[in-house]
């Protein structure tokens, strides 16, 4: 026999939020490496420039009102290093005051800030000195972190040191599609190591200022699947890529050691135990495998990129361009895969590029269902930050209409906001702290049987006596 649950409830202290990053929403950033790359051209869709973005530098509070109206109690935002420290020996007190004002504005609305200290951008003075390839970068970052955290530590508890370090390494130093446009394995390893050391330095610095701060990092996690389930080498590739992209940095931040498959082990002692919590940015699944014929034909040493499959399978829902497949169960699998780190978990990003909002309501419902399943399995997920509140500047995709992530649409010319239906879906979930059958029936009735039917044999049995 089957019974129904009427609603899937989340823990009472659950944090419901949205996530943004400074360069993507603030606008008017003229002193960082992305601005320089936008100006130089060649990195961004149609050579667009971030420009005023969502103009948060002047009007963030208007969007904070929108968060409050939805019933959110949390928001993840980042601080722009190049504003705070425009030159190595200069701090901008006005910029610091503006960030203080934004944090206060969130708190006044009962929205708890989570602050990211590095979200892909860096000051131009740092770029000029070799960026993260320069070993001094760790010390530069530490100094900046010290300044910001000293200022905000009485208002902020949740600190995210670095956003998606492996994505930065992969896009900017290995694939070369983000500034500085490098394609070098050696640089990738150096930058990966320095980012890990910078995370560790920030962790210790923040705790030195406020021992009860909660410090973590946001890790991009991909659900890697073998392209063909019957080919063992495809499984091997999926496992290797998973190990390198998903777990290497987390292992380093948990144990102080990172071991490359079939390769070297790196020891970064100061990084051991530097996660008070773990942030998961989850978006998609990619299929991977080896094209064996090409592999044999070309063999070493010239390993061309096309010996690997990477992509999607016909018949599965996919995102635009090379976004991969939308795969809600991958969130559950990811949470299971990181449970052994034994840390509280936040979903620091999860969202879908979908200008017309055709798929976003279902995306939110199905992913939150998977999240709820993980909590039911006693995996300690403490909060969820949807990416994103408003459409914003999507790095190499710029303002490409196919890459709109907002619960609210934004007209970049007029700054007008338009709520998408998904903002109502998400708001209802946040306010009721649950995913109710009633809501799912209204927005996506097809999902009702899939989400709310539970097997009676798994329910607690009633005894004869009761
Ligand atoms: C990333 C970032 C965000 C993106 C978001 C959508 O994953 O690249 O953290 O800045 O905008 O993930 O792609």
């Amino acid at each position: 026999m089957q019974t129904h649950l009427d609603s899937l409830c989340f823990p009472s202290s659950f944090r419901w939020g949205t996530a943004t990053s400074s360069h993507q929403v603030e606008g008017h950033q003229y002193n960082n490496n992305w601005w320089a790359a936008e100006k130089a051209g060649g990195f961004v869709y149609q050579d667009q420039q971030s420009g005023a973005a969502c103009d948060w530098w002047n009007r963030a509070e208007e969007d904070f009102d929108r968060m409050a109206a939805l019933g959110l109690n949390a928001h993840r935002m980042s601080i722009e290093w190049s504003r705070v420290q425009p030159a190595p020996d200069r701090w901008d007190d006005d910029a610091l005051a503006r960030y203080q004002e934004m944090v206060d504005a969130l708190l006044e609305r009962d929205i708890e800030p989570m602050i990211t200290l590095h979200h892909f951008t860096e000051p131009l003075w740092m770029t000029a000195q070799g960026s993260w390839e320069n070993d001094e970068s760790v010390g530069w970052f530490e100094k900046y972190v010290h300044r910001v955290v000293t200022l905000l530590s009485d208002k902020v508890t949740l600190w995210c040191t670095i956003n998606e370090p492996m994505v930065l390494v992969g896009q900017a130093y290995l694939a070369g599609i983000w500034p500085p446009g490098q394609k070098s394995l050696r640089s990738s390893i150096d930058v990966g190591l320095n980012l890990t050391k910078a995370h560790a330095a920030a962790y210790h610095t923040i705790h030195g200022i406020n021992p009860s701060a909660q410090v973590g990092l946001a890790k991009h996690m991909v659900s890697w699947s073998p392209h063909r389930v019957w080919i063992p080498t495809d499984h091997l590739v999926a496992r290797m890529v998973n190990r390198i992209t998903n777990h290497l940095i987390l292992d380093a931040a948990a144990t102080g050691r990172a071991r490359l498959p079939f390769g070297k082990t790196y020891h970064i002692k100061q990084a051991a135990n530097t996660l008070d919590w773990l942030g998961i940015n989850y978006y998609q699944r990619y299929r991977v495998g080896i094209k064996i014929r090409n592999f044999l034909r070309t063999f070493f040493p010239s390993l061309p990129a096309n010996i690997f499959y990477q992509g999607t399978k016909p018949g599965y829902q996919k995102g635009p361009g090379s976004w991969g497949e939308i795969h809600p169960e991958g969130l559950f699998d990811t949470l299971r895969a990181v449970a052994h780190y034994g840390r509280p978990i936040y979903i620091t990003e999860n969202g879908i590029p979908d200008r017309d909002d055709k798929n976003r309501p279902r995306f939110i419902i199905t992913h939150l269902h998977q999240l709820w399943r993980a909590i039911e399995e006693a995996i300690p997920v403490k909060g969820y930050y949807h990416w994103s509140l408003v459409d914003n500047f999507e790095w190499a995709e710029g303002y490409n209409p196919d890459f709109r992530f907002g619960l609210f649409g934004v007209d970049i010319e007029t700054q007008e906001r338009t709520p998408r239906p998904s903002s109502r879906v998400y708001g209802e979930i946040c306010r009721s702290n649950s995913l109710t059958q009633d809501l799912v029936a209204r927005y996506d009735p097809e999902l009702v049987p899939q989400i709310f039917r539970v097997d009676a044999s798994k329910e607690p049995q009633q005894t004869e006596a009761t």
Side-chain angles (χ1 to χ4, degrees):
M1 210 189 92
Q2 305 233 292
T3 57
H4 286 88
L5 289 175
D6 281 338
S7 49
L8 314 183
C9 296
F10 289 82
S12 60
S13 54
F14 201 74
R15 287 176 172 95
W16 292 105
T18 43
T20 54
S21 91
S22 51
H23 190 73
Q24 296 180 271
V25 292
E26 281 175 12
H28 327 284
Q29 310 245 32
Y30 307 123
N31 196 19
N32 71 28
N33 58 331
W34 265 89
W35 172 77
E38 292 158 24
K39 212 173 65 153
F43 283 102
V44 180
Y45 170 77
Q46 295 184 349
D47 278 340
Q48 292 171 339
Q49 302 192 15
S50 50
C54 311
D55 198 26
W56 267 32
W57 198 242
N58 300 306
R59 63 175 90 204
E61 286 78 352
E62 292 171 22
D63 284 329
F64 296 172
D65 284 340
R66 292 186 175 89
M67 295 173 191
L70 291 187
L72 308 191
N73 60 15
H75 179 67
R76 170 176 175 236
M77 59 174 260
S78 78
I79 304 264
E80 173 61 33
W81 185 355
S82 67
R83 281 196 198 277
V84 167
Q85 193 181 8
D89 54 355
R90 196 154 61 80
W91 302 97
D92 184 330
D93 290 331
D94 291 342
L96 284 162
R98 176 66 183 127
Y99 283 120
Q100 214 163 8
E101 192 176 60
M102 285 192 201
V103 166
D104 285 337
L106 287 172
L107 292 170
E108 277 158 23
R109 290 163 177 77
D110 290 325
I111 297 172
E112 184 182 7
M114 173 192 279
I115 301 292
T116 308
L117 291 157
H118 185 273
H119 197 124
F120 295 152
T121 54
E122 71 203 21
L124 277 175
W125 59 259
M126 170 160 170
T127 313
Q129 294 179 74
S131 181
W132 290 105
E133 283 180 86
N134 186 333
D135 292 343
E136 283 187 51
S137 56
V138 177
W140 300 333
F141 186 61
E142 191 175 357
K143 206 164 139 196
Y144 149 74
V145 168
H146 190 274
R147 184 74 180 216
V148 172
V149 176
T150 306
L151 184 83
L152 296 175
S153 74
D154 57 334
K155 303 175 201 284
V156 176
T157 307
L158 283 171
W159 294 98
C160 174
T161 57
I162 297 181
N163 179 69
E164 302 187 352
M166 289 304 271
V167 172
L168 180 60
V169 169
Q171 306 283 78
Y173 292 91
L174 196 60
I177 55 178
W178 287 5
Q182 289 228 40
K183 293 182 185 170
S184 150
L185 186 60
R186 183 67 256 162
S187 304
S188 302
I189 294 174
D190 289 347
V191 169
L193 287 169
N194 279 339
L195 287 169
T196 310
K197 290 176 190 164
H199 158 76
Y203 180 92
H204 297 298
T205 301
I206 299 170
H207 276 286
I209 297 166
N210 178 7
S212 56
Q214 295 292 304
V215 186
L217 59 76
K219 180 70 193 71
H220 186 253
M221 301 290 282
V222 167
S223 177
W224 297 105
S225 288
H227 188 75
R228 295 150 303 183
V229 282
W230 62 92
I231 304 273
T233 46
D234 287 8
H235 284 267
L236 187 70
V237 173
R239 274 217 304 277
M240 265 173 52
V241 183
N242 174 52
R243 179 107 288 287
I244 296 169
T245 65
N246 286 342
H247 290 282
L248 214 53
I249 282 212
L250 292 180
D251 287 351
T255 65
R257 271 189 320 277
R259 193 172 56 82
L260 284 172
F262 313 117
K264 204 170 155 170
T265 300
Y266 293 92
H267 296 269
I268 311 136
K269 270 215 223 97
Q270 67 275 33
N273 293 313
T274 55
L275 289 176
D276 299 325
W277 54 267
L278 174 54
I280 300 295
N281 294 358
Y282 176 77
Y283 289 94
Q284 69 270 86
R285 157 160 78 180
Y286 286 116
R287 313 275 183 167
V288 283
I290 280 190
K291 297 178 181 170
I292 295 167
R293 277 230 317 262
N294 287 1
F295 179 71
L296 292 176
R297 215 180 284 151
T298 46
F299 218 59
F300 284 90
S302 57
L303 272 185
N306 78 349
I307 64 164
F308 292 113
Y309 290 105
Q310 177 175 332
T312 55
K313 255 192 177 171
Y316 291 84
Q317 191 197 350
K318 65 185 282 300
S322 55
W323 188 253
E325 289 172 13
I326 307 300
H327 180 53
E329 293 78 9
L331 177 60
F332 178 77
D333 298 340
T334 297
L335 289 168
R336 266 195 169 165
V338 297
H340 74 274
Y341 291 108
R343 294 287 185 270
I345 298 167
Y346 292 97
I347 307 303
T348 33
E349 286 179 31
N350 173 237
I352 180 170
D354 180 21
R355 178 182 39 171
D356 301 325
D357 217 44
K358 279 212 296 275
N359 300 310
R360 190 174 288 103
R362 172 171 285 209
F363 181 96
I364 292 175
I365 292 169
T366 50
H367 284 75
L368 289 176
H369 173 221
Q370 298 300 325
L371 181 59
W372 178 85
R373 285 183 59 214
I375 296 174
E376 281 289 289
E377 280 207 353
I379 299 176
V381 187
K382 304 294 183 193
Y384 173 90
Y385 298 78
H386 189 76
W387 187 276
S388 184
L389 183 79
V390 280
D391 290 342
N392 55 50
F393 180 78
E394 176 59 15
W395 307 114
E397 295 298 343
Y399 297 116
N400 181 343
D402 287 342
F403 286 83
R404 299 286 158 95
F405 287 87
L407 296 170
F408 290 82
V410 175
D411 180 328
I412 298 294
E413 301 300 318
T414 63
Q415 290 298 330
E416 197 190 330
R417 272 56 169 163
T418 311
R420 295 197 168 105
S422 52
S423 66
R424 289 191 288 277
V425 175
Y426 189 51
E428 269 193 53
I429 296 171
C430 302
R431 289 193 297 277
S432 68
N433 197 33
S434 62
L435 191 58
T436 64
Q437 189 172 142
D438 165 63
L439 172 129
V440 179
R442 270 181 290 124
Y443 286 99
D444 203 335
E446 268 183 26
L447 290 175
V448 169
Q450 183 182 318
I451 296 181
F452 294 97
R453 208 175 283 277
V454 292
D455 190 325
S457 62
K458 292 201 182 129
E459 296 233 301
Q461 300 292 315
Q462 295 219 323
T463 60
E464 297 273 347
T466 53

